[in-house]
């Protein structure tokens, strides 16, 4: 049985139940401002291995450490001056920093997949209250089966992991709807490992430096989780569609109709008013709705590549990556 507690109506009960469940070494689904996370005590090997099992996640793929404040962060990692500046400007918020781990930090090596760095972030919203109350950092990947679309609501988590999970905290739809932006500072270079909910332009404005994209930062995948096929719907995905074929689902942007819509199975618009923030918040829920329609193919209209568009396009391209077993 999965217990779901609404944090908006029962915050105190939610905090107490979350802390009790975490203390028993069990994962809890928590709402962050980006997506829902599957959280466990970062110092408990049993709790961490349950996360990997529940998600079917490869053990070489490290988890992000979620902390409540700077004092907690400094117990686990060392900040270089640029990372410090970024954290001060954007935490709590959708920014994960890859930083050297302190020796004897207490974070279980399973959480960091044996690396000597840690991905760390201070989330906003109710999840931060949970960490504050629990008093220890929580390791949390997105609360979905490995390779599937990240959950932006408690209902998404329940549909995917319910039954296997003791507790879900429900804070309503996630504000941002895309995972955090992952940044690694190397000397005086700022490298983007994953575009996400924090606009890279904001990082460039703050630091006065160009952020190096994965293509320019070297070919190797630096965030072990950035495998090409991810966010995988059962439907095939067609990119930059200029029309929609009969029976396809169309996900478009900006309110302009496309040829063929009359014979589409379903037409969804990420943001009729062409607002990328709104589009980001809707993306994963619309991908799930499109997939649930049973259509063989989801066609995506073009999305502008500036701002959050970069992260939206990244997720759509991963959903479109070649893989076995699509419907089409
Ligand atoms: O917004 C988010 O980041 C959400 C919420 C729940 O906080 N979390 C999330 O976690 O998206 P996950 O596990 O789905 O993605 C974490 C990514 C993976 O691609 C992983 O490989 C990378 O971060 N990562 C974690 N630690 C790393 C490290 N030390 N070095 C490089 N990449 C790391
Ligand atoms: Mg994930």
């Amino acid at each position: 049985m999965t217990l779901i507690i609404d944090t908006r109506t029962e915050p105190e009960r939610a905090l107490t139940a979350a802390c009790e469940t975490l203390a028993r070494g069990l994962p809890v689904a928590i709402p962050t401002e980006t997506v829902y996370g599957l959280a466990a005590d970062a110092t408990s090997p049993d709790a961490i291995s349950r996360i990997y099992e529940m998600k079917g996640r490869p053990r070489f793929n490290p988890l992000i450490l979620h902390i409540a404040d700077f004092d907690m962060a400094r117990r686990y990692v060392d900040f270089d001056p640029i990372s410090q500046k970024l954290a001060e400007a954007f935490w709590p918020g959708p920014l994960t920093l890859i930083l050297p781990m302190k020796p004897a930090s207490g974070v279980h090596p399973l959480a960091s997949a044996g690396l000597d760095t840690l991905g760390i972030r201070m989330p906003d919203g109710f999840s931060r209250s949970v960490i504050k109350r629990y008093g220890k950092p929580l390791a949390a990947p997105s609360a979905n089966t490995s390779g599937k679309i990240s959950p932006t609501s408690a209902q998404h988590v329940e549909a995917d992991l319910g039954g296997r999970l003791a507790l879900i905290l429900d804070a309503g739809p996630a504000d941002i709807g895309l995972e955090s932006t992952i940044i690694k500072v190397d000397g005086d270079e700022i490298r983007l490992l994953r575009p996400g909910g924090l606009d890279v332009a904001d990082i460039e404005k703050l630091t006065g430096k160009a952020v190096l994209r994965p293509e320019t930062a070297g070919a190797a995948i630096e965030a072990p989780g950035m495998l090409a096929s991810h966010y995988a719907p059962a439907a095939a995905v067609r990119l930059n569609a200029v029309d929609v074929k009969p029976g396809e689902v169309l996900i478009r942007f900006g309110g302009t109709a496309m040829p063929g819509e009359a014979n589409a199975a379903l037409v969804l618009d990420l943001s009729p008013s062409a607002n990328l923030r709104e589009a980001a918040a809707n993306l994963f829920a619309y991908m799930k709705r499109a997939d649930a329609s049973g259509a063989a193919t989801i066609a995506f209209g073009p999305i502008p590549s500036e701002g959050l568009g970069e992260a939206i396009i990244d997720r759509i391209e991963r959903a479109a990556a070649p893989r076995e077993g699509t419907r089409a």
Side-chain angles (χ1 to χ4, degrees):
M1 248 299 283
T2 305
L3 178 64
I4 302 180
I5 304 180
D6 193 317
T7 64
R8 295 156 295 183
T9 52
E10 297 189 283
E12 193 47 44
R13 184 170 163 245
L15 284 175
T16 309
C19 291
E20 278 173 13
T21 310
L22 292 166
R24 284 165 54 211
L26 299 177
V28 175
I30 56 168
T32 86
E33 80 283 38
T34 57
V35 299
Y36 277 67
L38 186 63
D41 186 326
T43 63
S44 158
D46 286 352
I48 303 296
S49 37
R50 286 197 177 97
I51 288 187
Y52 282 95
E53 271 159 36
M54 215 175 263
K55 283 182 61 87
R57 181 178 177 108
R59 286 176 187 245
F60 61 77
N61 191 3
L63 309 178
I64 294 174
L65 195 76
H66 293 65
I67 44 85
D69 51 48
F70 280 94
D71 281 348
M72 200 185 267
R74 277 189 287 267
R75 289 205 281 277
Y76 298 93
V77 292
D78 292 316
F79 285 87
D80 60 89
I82 296 175
S83 296
Q84 172 87 26
K85 187 171 182 179
L86 292 173
E88 279 168 9
F90 299 118
W91 281 357
L95 169 69
T96 294
L97 294 166
I98 306 298
L99 294 171
M101 195 185 334
K102 286 218 155 110
S105 70
V107 171
H108 197 270
L110 198 48
S112 54
L115 301 176
D116 53 10
T117 55
L118 268 179
I120 186 166
R121 101 175 176 98
M122 189 191 296
D124 204 0
F126 198 82
S127 55
R128 188 168 172 218
S129 311
V130 174
I131 304 165
K132 261 191 199 145
R133 174 74 67 92
Y134 191 61
K136 288 201 267 182
L138 299 180
S142 50
N144 54 277
T145 308
S146 192
K148 298 290 179 199
I149 299 166
S150 295
T152 53
S153 73
Q155 290 67 40
H156 292 164
V157 180
E158 192 188 15
D160 189 352
L161 302 175
R164 283 178 280 163
L165 188 56
L167 178 64
I168 300 173
L169 302 187
D170 181 359
D175 280 348
I176 292 176
L178 290 175
E179 302 86 345
S180 58
T181 299
I182 305 183
I183 291 287
K184 184 176 188 183
V185 175
D186 258 335
D188 59 1
E189 284 183 359
I190 307 178
R191 299 145 79 105
L192 178 68
L193 303 197
R194 176 177 76 182
L198 177 64
D199 188 341
V200 171
D202 292 340
I203 296 174
E204 296 185 325
K205 207 187 295 169
L206 178 84
T207 58
K209 284 172 172 299
V211 171
L212 303 180
R213 297 325 202 250
E215 299 79 40
T216 50
I221 293 173
E222 283 204 60
M226 295 301 279
L227 307 170
S229 172
H230 213 80
Y231 309 94
V237 173
R238 191 158 75 79
L239 299 177
N240 291 316
V242 291
D243 60 4
V244 51
K245 316 265 186 264
E248 287 185 341
V249 174
L250 173 66
I251 301 184
R252 60 162 148 85
F253 173 86
T256 312
M258 222 178 252
E261 286 192 5
N263 296 316
L266 178 68
V267 177
L268 298 168
D269 199 313
L270 291 168
S271 173
S273 63
N275 176 330
L276 285 165
R277 219 158 257 293
E278 181 184 30
N282 285 330
L283 178 67
F284 291 155
Y286 284 13
M287 282 168 70
K288 282 172 184 278
R289 261 168 74 186
D291 207 27
S293 75
T297 304
I298 304 171
F300 278 91
I303 312 273
S305 60
E306 76 266 14
L308 288 186
E310 182 178 7
I312 295 172
I313 292 168
D314 171 80
R315 301 307 187 269
I316 297 173
E317 283 179 348
R318 282 174 208 288
R323 59 184 183 277
E324 303 282 303
T326 52
R327 285 192 195 113

